[in-house]
Amino acid sequence: MSLVHNHVALPALTFSYDVGKASWTWAAGLRELHGLGSSEEPTTEEFLARMHQGDRVVMISRFQHHLEHAGPYACSYRMRDASGHQRRLIFVGQSEAVAGVVKRLSGFVVDITEPAREFGREAVAASALHRSTVEQAKGALMLAFKVDDGGAAGLLQAYASRHRLTTLAVATVIVKQLADPRRDASDPSGAMESIVASLAQQPDTGATAVT
């Protein structure tokens, strides 16, 4: 049994942040989620204002860290959308540096509010073999990106949705490549960055939704 159901694919809401200009660029869906009109400029303050207070301090700390350190990052957080509903999101991206100085953050946000619930139900129904693969991949993501179990599940969903793969396919790629003896085990985040990049070369399964 594969971890796939027939809901609509998770939308990836892209963003970028110009460090020098301290300015954001948000996709239309991300603007809508925060209640911003097409003529309104997104700001860090707007981003934090809707965030759950319990997640805000951690997110500020992570944001500051990635402004100073290049590499991949991911974290999950809760927020109130423009309609006042609580959402759980996964924030996935890359800090890009020039000559050792971070110049740009870029990535995407995925709303995992409903799919996160489905993930648990589908995972329980999956075979023991598939559960083992998914759990191993989640553990690797938790280590590489310093996220909790729910955040790791959200990352699997986010990568699967972005590359039109099943969650099981993404988990299998992660586990298989981590087992490669040629891979540097001393740099978990760097190893995961290269594995995630390789997902773009995986055959498109045409999955309409991923859990």
Side-chain angles (χ1 to χ4, degrees), residues 26 34 40 47 51 53 70 73-75 132 159 164 171 191 202:
W26 287 359
H34 288 78
E40 296 179 90
F47 175 58
M51 191 176 295
Q53 187 174 359
Y73 55 85
C75 46
S132 175
Y159 288 131
R164 290 179 57 80
Q202 299 299 313

Side-chain angles (χ1 to χ4, degrees), residues 42-81:
T43 65
T44 303
E45 290 72 25
E46 177 65 31
F47 175 58
L48 294 173
R50 291 191 176 278
M51 191 176 295
H52 190 284
Q53 187 174 359
D55 298 333
R56 200 173 298 156
V57 173
V58 173
M59 283 295 288
I60 291 173
S61 175
R62 293 287 297 272
F63 182 65
Q64 290 296 332
H65 175 82
H66 296 302
L67 288 178
E68 300 171 2
H69 301 83
Y73 55 85
C75 46
S76 61
Y77 63 96
R78 295 158 294 171
M79 67 163 288
R80 289 282 177 186
D81 64 18

Side-chain angles (χ1 to χ4, degrees), residues 110-127:
V110 176
D111 183 349
I112 61 168
T113 308
E114 292 304 322
R117 298 190 184 105
E118 289 292 330
F119 185 93
R121 288 193 288 267
E122 295 288 338
V124 168
S127 70

